[in-house]
Amino acid sequence: FVQWSSLPPGKFCAKCGCSCEAHETEEELAKRLRIDAILKRKQEDVARSKASRLREAEAECRRRVSEAVQRRRESEASGEYIRETSLDFITQVKRGPCPKADHCPGFKVIFRESDALNPEVMLFCSLCGHPSSEHPVDTQWMEEQRRRKERERQKEQRFPPRQPPRGRPQASTFRRPYDEAKRAACRLLGVPLDASAKQISRAYKRMALKYHPDKNASPQAEDIFVRLTHAFQLLQSQ
């Protein structure tokens, strides 16, 4: 039991009994309150900035969906053939529903022939507006592709191709695995398959300047820039 009257005056707190050194002074209290206020303002600024970026991204998604609807209407009115694909423009794999949009049944791009080389169209879903990278790969489609390749491999083992006559080279119809990636990279950069290194470099510089994050304020500019760089590196290595 503590006898408060027996303690030296001014050395201990009358409410908790702690030493005076355990309590902050009025100056320390004011300083702490100022720091807390500054930290709170910074947190609020970060939250507002994040909310603003989310609103801008949602507005961009709505704009892409509206443009896809407009493309379809214009094509139907002019009789132009409209195309649809569920495959990723770069990886050529089927993508599933977008987890950020409940109404998205699956990745789909609605495009015209003139849009086939436009990354702003081909890299984004026409149903929800989100980029293809935000749509997970369709596992059922991947399993079907795996079974199909397995059936083709078994068929080749059972019925091997006939050997051509000696001295006469056979025209190979086998497509190397990187051919599809090369085609996708060429489509992304807008160059032909037989483009020279100079043409590829010029096309990459033009597209990179357009979609560099320091020059393009679009939320998806960085993703497009990374895809362009990968495509350029792939074509340069072949």
Side-chain angles (χ1 to χ4, degrees):
F1 181 75
V2 179
Q3 294 289 340
W4 302 109
S5 59
S6 64
L7 298 176
K11 295 294 184 180
F12 296 90
C13 178
K15 293 183 178 180
C16 64
C18 296
S19 172
C20 62
E21 287 81 5
H23 295 263
E24 57 188 1
T25 64
E26 292 182 356
E27 294 180 355
E28 292 173 342
L29 174 62
K31 182 179 179 180
R32 180 173 61 82
L33 293 178
R34 288 196 301 270
I35 294 175
D36 291 344
I38 292 173
L39 294 177
K40 184 178 180 180
R41 285 197 299 270
K42 288 185 176 180
Q43 292 175 353
E44 291 175 350
D45 291 342
V46 171
R48 283 195 295 268
S49 177
K50 184 177 180 181
S52 177
R53 289 196 299 269
L54 289 176
R55 287 194 297 269
E56 292 176 357
E58 291 175 357
E60 285 290 317
C61 291
R62 290 193 295 269
R63 178 185 62 80
R64 296 189 189 103
V65 174
S66 300
E67 290 178 352
V69 174
Q70 186 66 22
R71 284 197 300 272
R72 182 185 289 276
R73 290 176 179 173
E74 291 177 355
S75 300
E76 292 176 351
S78 62
E80 184 180 2
Y81 181 69
I82 192 76
R83 300 185 180 185
E84 297 182 0
T85 180
S86 298
L87 301 182
D88 190 318
F89 182 69
I90 301 297
T91 60
Q92 292 297 302
V93 298
K94 187 176 181 180
R95 300 268 179 180
C98 179
K100 294 184 178 181
D102 298 334
H103 62 278
C104 180
F107 180 75
K108 180 178 289 187
V109 180
I110 302 173
F111 63 101
R112 298 164 296 192
E113 186 68 26
S114 57
D115 302 321
L117 298 178
N118 187 356
E120 286 287 349
V121 176
M122 302 304 297
L123 297 181
F124 299 91
C125 179
S126 300
L127 303 181
C128 67
H130 289 276
S132 58
S133 57
E134 295 183 0
H135 293 71
V137 176
D138 191 329
T139 55
Q140 184 177 358
W141 179 84
M142 291 292 291
E143 181 63 22
E144 292 175 357
Q145 295 298 309
R146 187 192 65 80
R147 290 197 296 265
R148 181 181 61 81
K149 292 180 180 179
E150 181 65 20
R151 289 194 300 268
E152 292 178 355
R153 187 184 63 83
Q154 294 177 357
K155 184 177 179 181
E156 290 179 357
Q157 291 178 350
R158 292 175 57 189
F159 306 100
R162 298 177 59 184
Q163 295 295 331
R166 183 173 298 179
R168 181 182 300 176
Q170 183 182 13
S172 175
T173 59
F174 176 72
R175 179 172 292 176
R176 297 180 182 180
Y178 60 77
D179 281 356
E180 290 299 330
K182 180 180 179 180
R183 290 176 181 272
C186 289
R187 287 197 299 267
L188 181 61
L189 293 177
V191 296
L193 289 173
D194 56 350
S196 63
K198 187 175 181 180
Q199 289 176 314
I200 294 172
S201 179
R202 188 184 299 113
Y204 170 71
K205 289 180 180 178
R206 183 179 67 255
M207 301 290 284
L209 286 174
K210 181 178 179 181
Y211 292 103
H212 196 281
D214 294 340
K215 297 181 179 296
N216 193 320
S218 174
Q220 308 303 332
E222 183 177 357
D223 182 61
I224 296 176
F225 179 76
V226 171
R227 289 170 177 259
L228 290 170
T229 303
H230 289 170
F232 175 68
Q233 292 174 348
L234 174 65
L235 295 178
Q236 287 292 97
S237 63
Q238 297 181 5

